[in-house]
Amino acid sequence: MQDSDVIVIGSGIGGLCAAGLLARYGKRVIACESHIIPGGAAHSFRRRGFEFDSGPSFYCGLTGAESLNPVKQVLDILGESIQVIPYDPLGHYHFPESTFAVYSQIERYRQEVQKITPQGAKELQRYEARLLGLYEAMKGIPTLALRADWQIIPILLRHYLPSLAKMLPHLPIVQASVGSVMDATVQDPWVRRLIDLECFLLSGLKAHGTIAPEVAFMLGERSRAGVEYPVGGSGAIVKALVRGLERWGGKLRTGCHIEQILLSSGKVTGVQTSQGEIISAPIVISNASIWDTYNHLLRPEDLPASYRQAALDTPAVASFMHLHLGIRSPGLENLTGHHVVVHDSQQDITTPGNTCMISIPSVWDAKLAPAGHHVIHAYTLEPYAGWERNEGYEQKKREKAQTLYRALERIIPDIRDACGGRSHRVVVELIGTPLTHAHYLRRYQGTYGPAIAAGQGTFPGYNTPIPGLYRVGDSTMPGIGVPAAAASGILCANTLKT
Ligand SMILES: Cc1cc2nc3c(=O)[nH]c(=O)nc-3n(C[C@H](O)[C@H](O)[C@H](O)COP(=O)(O)OP(=O)(O)OC[C@H]3O[C@@H](n4cnc5c(N)ncnc54)[C@H](O)[C@@H]3O)c2cc1C
């Protein structure tokens, strides 16, 4: 008798979706999470009355009967739901020369562009039409219906033939970069920068590195379903997934770090925790990244050498500097929630420190901060290389956070004002570096995810060369982001269902 039918290593969005669905399909499931808080990149944590999102804060389609968001589809099937707060404009992009309000509502978005560049707005419309056509075709096939093996073929042919037919005219751009769509439709430099920026926010790569379906899905969902924030913060999504897992008899063990995946005669037999406990199961699903799974959870001899090397050579997007602040809110009554600040137009938007993302979720859900306060998360890309916990660490950390403070000054000009060494506004300050990110999220070099550029490869699937070992999360198909990580969990669970 095995301890479980399935062990899931990690409780990121991909792991929780796979675990919850497999429990729902009748399997005995144990999810083991290293951290004391579940959720991985999407977890929230509390300090002195402030509820901080550690990563994502931008969501579409978490509610609504016809939502295409895979997270919503999983919550539905688990019998769970969350409450959300819709909002529009979805954010403000602050360029050195001006600030631009971004609306989910597509005509409104274009009207704003038109004020800056009438010709650019016309070109943007052509670009959007091309991508929304692809989105309309993709929309007919819900992620929850998919699996990742050959059995998908009869399912598609039996149930989704009209949707497949709709896809045919769009096949040329399904594997293409959105940069090729942009090249064919948009010449205006201002709009091209806007598209590059939105791609960078989505995939960590600019338009020529980002695949067209990813952008089509983002654009389609945000214009159709609108943008919304979960009541209680990003952690509310994680809590709902955990409730769903437990409702169907699955178990989540937090503070349970898995040291090794155990094999016998080349097949999975279970895992060993860092406390030396052995948990047996014929199936193990790793939600750790591709690098962490193959480098730390298996011995080198467990995998074919060339396969292992190719997997470990997967390029990685950089990590982050994070600034989490709890601030006093008087005088900030008109604050909005999402901001992107580009400091210098002469520098590439991907240059670390140049593009800063800011989210102030207490604007939507006041309960995330004590009365009279706001909670802020600001972050920017930062390479992992060069970071060490040595005597210069604290000073380097403080210096590197200044680009985030400078970005915040575009929105809250007096954020750094102080009197007698005491800040007027800031009551809690937490600065995170790539080392912090790597440590708390157990992610190789604290990376955002694989840097697999369109046309230069595809994200690997859920399968591995080891019988009984599978992978989910943002280093598997379809890629980075909460909806994509959820989709990876669906694909894996549906494939293992029978
Ligand atoms: C700053 C930031 C902002 C983002 N913003 C957005 C956004 O607005 N919208 C959006 O859709 N996406 C956003 N993303 C991306 C999104 O959050 C991630 O792609 C997604 O959450 C990753 O999920 P995952 O399933 O890959 O798991 P991960 O989040 O990587 O979680 C993996 C889990 O496995 C655990 N684990 C690893 N190794 C072990 C082990 N050996 N034993 C036990 N447990 C282990 C880890 O502790 C972790 O909890 C953002 C990401 C970041 C970092």
Side-chain angles (χ1 to χ4, degrees), residues 9-15 32-34 39-42 55-58 256-258 287-288 297 320 322 377 379 437 441-443 448 473-474 480-483 485:
I9 305 173
S11 67
I13 296 292
C32 300
E33 167 56 51
S34 196
S57 58
F58 184 86
C256 178
H257 182 76
I258 301 303
N287 186 203
L297 287 166
F320 297 95
H322 293 270
H377 178 204
Y379 55 96
H437 194 100
L441 305 185
R442 277 59 170 176
R443 281 175 80 98
Y448 181 54
D474 61 10
I480 301 173
V482 169

Side-chain angles (χ1 to χ4, degrees), residues 203 205 209-211 214 290-291 314-317 449-460 474-476 480:
S203 70
L205 302 170
T210 306
I211 54 165
E214 192 177 351
I290 188 165
W291 306 277
T314 306
V317 180
I452 300 175
Q456 287 174 21
T458 50
F459 276 70
D474 61 10
S475 47
T476 47
I480 301 173

Side-chain angles (χ1 to χ4, degrees), residues 108-429:
R108 187 79 203 269
Y109 179 57
R110 223 176 290 127
Q111 277 165 17
E112 293 297 316
V113 174
Q114 197 167 12
K115 288 182 197 162
I116 296 161
T117 158
Q119 176 59 23
K122 279 189 204 143
E123 295 175 359
L124 181 65
Q125 190 166 9
R126 285 203 292 270
Y127 164 85
E128 288 167 347
R130 191 82 182 87
L131 292 174
L132 290 175
L134 173 58
Y135 167 76
E136 285 301 322
M138 293 194 303
K139 210 168 97 174
I141 308 175
T143 315
L144 200 63
L146 298 178
R147 44 192 294 152
D149 59 1
W150 66 269
Q151 290 188 51
I152 185 62
I153 297 167
I155 294 174
L156 288 176
L157 293 178
R158 204 171 313 131
H159 303 289
Y160 299 104
L161 210 50
S163 300
L164 283 181
K166 265 195 191 171
M167 285 292 283
L168 286 178
H170 303 284
L171 285 183
I173 62 167
V174 165
Q175 280 298 326
S177 82
V178 80
S180 65
V181 180
M182 175 174 83
D183 289 344
T185 49
V186 180
Q187 306 309 315
D188 183 274
W190 196 93
V191 175
R192 287 176 71 90
R193 178 180 62 173
L194 182 68
I195 292 171
D196 268 334
L197 180 63
E198 295 216 310
C199 291
F200 173 62
L201 299 176
L202 192 65
S203 70
L205 302 170
K206 291 198 288 185
H208 285 97
T210 306
I211 54 165
E214 192 177 351
V215 183
F217 188 79
M218 179 273 288
L219 207 58
E221 278 295 273
R222 99 178 179 197
S223 57
R224 193 186 65 103
V227 177
E228 55 201 16
Y229 187 76
V231 172
S234 291
I237 300 174
V238 175
K239 281 185 189 151
L241 288 170
V242 173
R243 281 198 309 271
L245 167 67
E246 292 175 345
R247 170 194 288 252
W248 294 98
K251 293 190 176 66
L252 170 67
R253 290 173 61 173
T254 52
C256 178
H257 182 76
I258 301 303
E259 201 72 47
Q260 216 189 338
I261 297 167
L262 302 173
L263 310 183
S264 173
S265 308
K267 282 191 197 156
V268 159
T269 57
V271 296
Q272 180 168 350
T273 71
S274 54
Q275 303 297 311
E277 183 189 354
I278 290 176
I279 312 173
S280 61
I283 292 176
V284 170
I285 299 172
S286 175
N287 186 203
S289 76
I290 188 165
W291 306 277
D292 295 291
T293 302
Y294 291 154
N295 216 7
H296 301 307
L297 287 166
L298 291 167
R299 298 165 308 168
E301 61 271 29
D302 291 337
L303 286 165
S306 57
Y307 176 91
R308 180 174 185 272
Q309 199 50 51
L312 296 182
D313 285 346
T314 306
V317 180
S319 185
F320 297 95
M321 284 302 301
H322 293 270
L323 180 63
H324 292 282
L325 297 178
I327 64 159
R328 296 187 186 91
S329 61
L332 301 176
E333 286 71 28
N334 298 321
L335 210 55
T336 55
H338 272 139
H339 301 267
V340 178
V341 177
V342 179
H343 284 305
D344 182 351
S345 297
Q346 305 309 312
Q347 272 190 36
D348 198 272
I349 50 169
T350 61
T351 305
N354 192 28
T355 302
C356 299
M357 284 62 77
I358 296 167
S359 134
I360 313 174
S362 45
V363 160
W364 308 301
D365 181 358
K367 292 211 174 93
L368 298 176
H373 292 78
H374 275 306
V375 62
I376 298 180
H377 178 204
Y379 55 96
T380 185
L381 275 194
E382 170 67 16
Y384 181 84
W387 280 93
E388 265 181 76
R389 282 189 201 278
N390 54 20
E391 65 288 351
Y393 179 69
E394 285 303 321
Q395 195 188 331
K396 180 172 175 183
K397 181 166 134 169
R398 195 142 282 287
E399 280 167 14
K400 286 282 181 179
Q402 294 313 306
T403 189
L404 295 169
Y405 269 114
R406 208 150 57 81
L408 265 169
E409 278 174 345
R410 288 290 295 265
I411 299 126
I412 307 171
D414 62 357
I415 189 77
R416 278 197 279 194
D417 285 5
C419 181
R422 273 179 65 117
S423 169
H424 284 315
R425 290 229 176 257
V426 178
V427 296
V428 176
E429 181 200 65

